[in-house]
Amino acid sequence: MNRPTPTTPTTPARPDRGGRRLTRHQGGFVMRIRWVAGAAALALVAAGCGSSGSDGGGSGSSGGNTSINVGYVPFADDAALFLAKENGIFAKHGLNAKLTPAAAPTAIVASMVSGQEQFGFVTTPVLINSNVRGTPIQCVSTVDGRQVPDPDRDGTALVAAKGSGITGVADLAGKRVAVVQLASLNALDMQALALRAGIDPKKVTLIQLPFPQMPAALAQGRVAAAVIVSPFLQTALKAGATVVNHPNVELFPGGTLFCLAATAKYLKASPKVVSAFHDAINEATGQAKAHPEAAKATLAKYLNITPTEAQKQILSTNFDPSLDSDSIQQMEDYMKQLGTIDQTVPPAGMLWSGAR
């Protein structure tokens, strides 16, 4: 299996006490994060702090276009979103989009609920948890398509620390494994893999860490393994970590693992803006498929890596912009089996009607 040439993204600054919102300052990728264990302790995200070159404020009008704020978790598969901004696709559809990075999807949900952001990146487990717990949000579009079924084209991996002796999921019993959020996709990946491997998921201790901190945690032996995404995956591999498997390819090939969502309240209040956003992302996804080099080029700016490193990144997508309800149902079934939810919501109710 061919692996991408390792790259080394900029090391983030230490966590700040001001919240989990990330900012870009003076061209750097300075991450300001406050981690609070458990989704129940979410703090509302402070306003401001967009990425370099982003513009616009809250929902409103600017230069004849409607201003929107879009929250995202920085990783390579945001390329189509970045392309929509950089190539003027949002502007073409009448939108003045500000892109704002965050450490994890739950912070983005809180910001959408507060009205600070109109659209945001969520993983499917966060989508499910939000709806089950009475916060109705719906997927408006994919981020860049569905999960590619090929491990050689997947930028998410379960990796083991150098010298750990871990070669399979069963070896993780009694070990500490880093995931970006305790209630999100990577945590579900790890628990579902444990079930498949015949070990009790509770015997695997999940540690919540931002993606940029995972390579150091692995190298220092603070965790035995991590579910990590590109470009941070390449940093971990360069330091000696080894790939155990590709959870999303194994569990949800061709599925909808994350999406760009909005609250039910906003969907009802702004149907024309929602349609324009959906169409812009779908157009950007098509452009990313036709011109992957151009899509990857945007990663240099938004992930603060070199243009050469940007071209080495893996986009884990089949570029299919349709939303897959079967994979959402599959995740709900896993979550109920694992006891993280006690009821389910029909997948169709979590998808915006214009995207079904």
Side-chain angles (χ1 to χ4, degrees):
M1 185 181 303
N2 295 324
R3 298 287 173 212
T5 303
T7 63
T8 309
T10 301
T11 302
R14 68 177 182 272
D16 178 63
R17 294 183 180 275
R20 286 185 285 183
R21 183 60 56 187
L22 309 182
T23 65
R24 295 178 58 113
H25 180 60
Q26 297 178 344
F29 189 48
V30 181
M31 309 189 81
R32 311 184 67 188
I33 306 168
R34 182 188 176 203
W35 285 100
V36 182
L42 286 176
L44 289 180
V45 182
C49 60
S51 60
S52 296
S54 60
D55 51 14
S59 183
S61 180
S62 176
N65 286 349
T66 300
S67 293
I68 56 170
N69 289 338
V70 184
Y72 69 96
V73 176
F75 75 128
D77 282 337
D78 291 318
L81 173 64
F82 302 152
L83 195 66
K85 171 71 177 178
E86 296 302 307
N87 276 16
I89 298 172
F90 281 133
K92 172 185 173 182
H93 288 270
L95 302 175
N96 180 36
K98 174 182 177 180
L99 308 185
T100 304
T106 48
I108 293 172
V109 173
S111 196
M112 288 194 293
V113 170
S114 73
Q116 293 175 332
E117 292 174 354
Q118 288 68 53
F119 301 93
F121 173 100
V122 296
T123 59
T124 300
V126 168
L127 174 78
I128 294 167
N129 265 317
S130 296
N131 281 279
V132 167
R133 287 165 172 74
T135 301
I137 60 175
Q138 293 182 339
C139 289
V140 174
S141 70
T142 63
V143 178
D144 62 350
R146 299 187 192 179
Q147 170 64 39
V148 68
D150 181 357
D152 286 331
R153 293 176 52 212
D154 184 37
T156 298
L158 169 63
V159 300
K162 181 180 180 180
S164 65
I166 295 169
T167 59
V169 174
D171 297 329
L172 294 173
K175 300 293 195 301
R176 290 159 57 95
V177 180
V179 295
V180 73
Q181 185 175 294
L182 297 179
S184 194
L185 176 64
N186 300 151
L188 178 62
D189 281 342
M190 195 59 253
Q191 292 170 318
L193 287 174
L195 286 174
R196 286 193 171 196
I199 62 175
D200 184 349
K202 294 180 181 178
K203 291 185 178 180
V204 180
T205 302
L206 300 182
I207 304 299
Q208 184 168 286
L209 281 177
F211 288 126
Q213 295 182 16
M214 290 183 185
L218 288 161
Q220 295 163 7
R222 289 186 282 124
V223 294
V227 182
I228 189 169
V229 301
S230 182
F232 313 106
L233 168 61
Q234 286 73 41
T235 305
L237 296 177
K238 184 176 181 180
T242 56
V243 173
V244 177
N245 70 13
H246 290 263
N248 295 328
V249 172
E250 182 173 332
L251 295 167
F252 311 112
T256 294
L257 307 188
F258 33 77
C259 70
L260 293 166
T263 64
K265 179 180 178 180
Y266 187 78
L267 292 169
K268 182 177 181 180
S270 306
K272 291 183 179 179
V273 178
V274 174
S275 292
F277 181 83
H278 170 267
D279 292 346
I281 294 297
N282 281 10
E283 181 176 337
T285 298
Q287 284 197 15
K289 180 179 181 180
H291 306 286
E293 295 84 4
K296 290 181 181 182
T298 66
L299 302 178
K301 174 179 178 179
Y302 288 89
L303 301 184
N304 193 36
I305 57 180
T306 69
T308 299
E309 291 169 337
Q311 292 301 323
K312 294 176 183 177
Q313 300 310 308
I314 299 171
L315 304 183
S316 310
T317 176
N318 62 3
F319 299 104
D320 180 350
S322 65
L323 296 163
D324 177 49
S325 60
D326 289 343
S327 57
I328 297 174
Q329 184 65 65
Q330 184 183 2
M331 289 192 200
E332 278 201 289
D333 293 342
Y334 270 127
M335 291 169 73
K336 192 166 184 182
Q337 182 180 358
L338 291 162
T340 57
I341 57 174
D342 57 10
Q343 59 180 313
T344 59
V345 175
M350 293 183 277
L351 305 179
W352 174 59
S353 59
R356 293 177 198 163

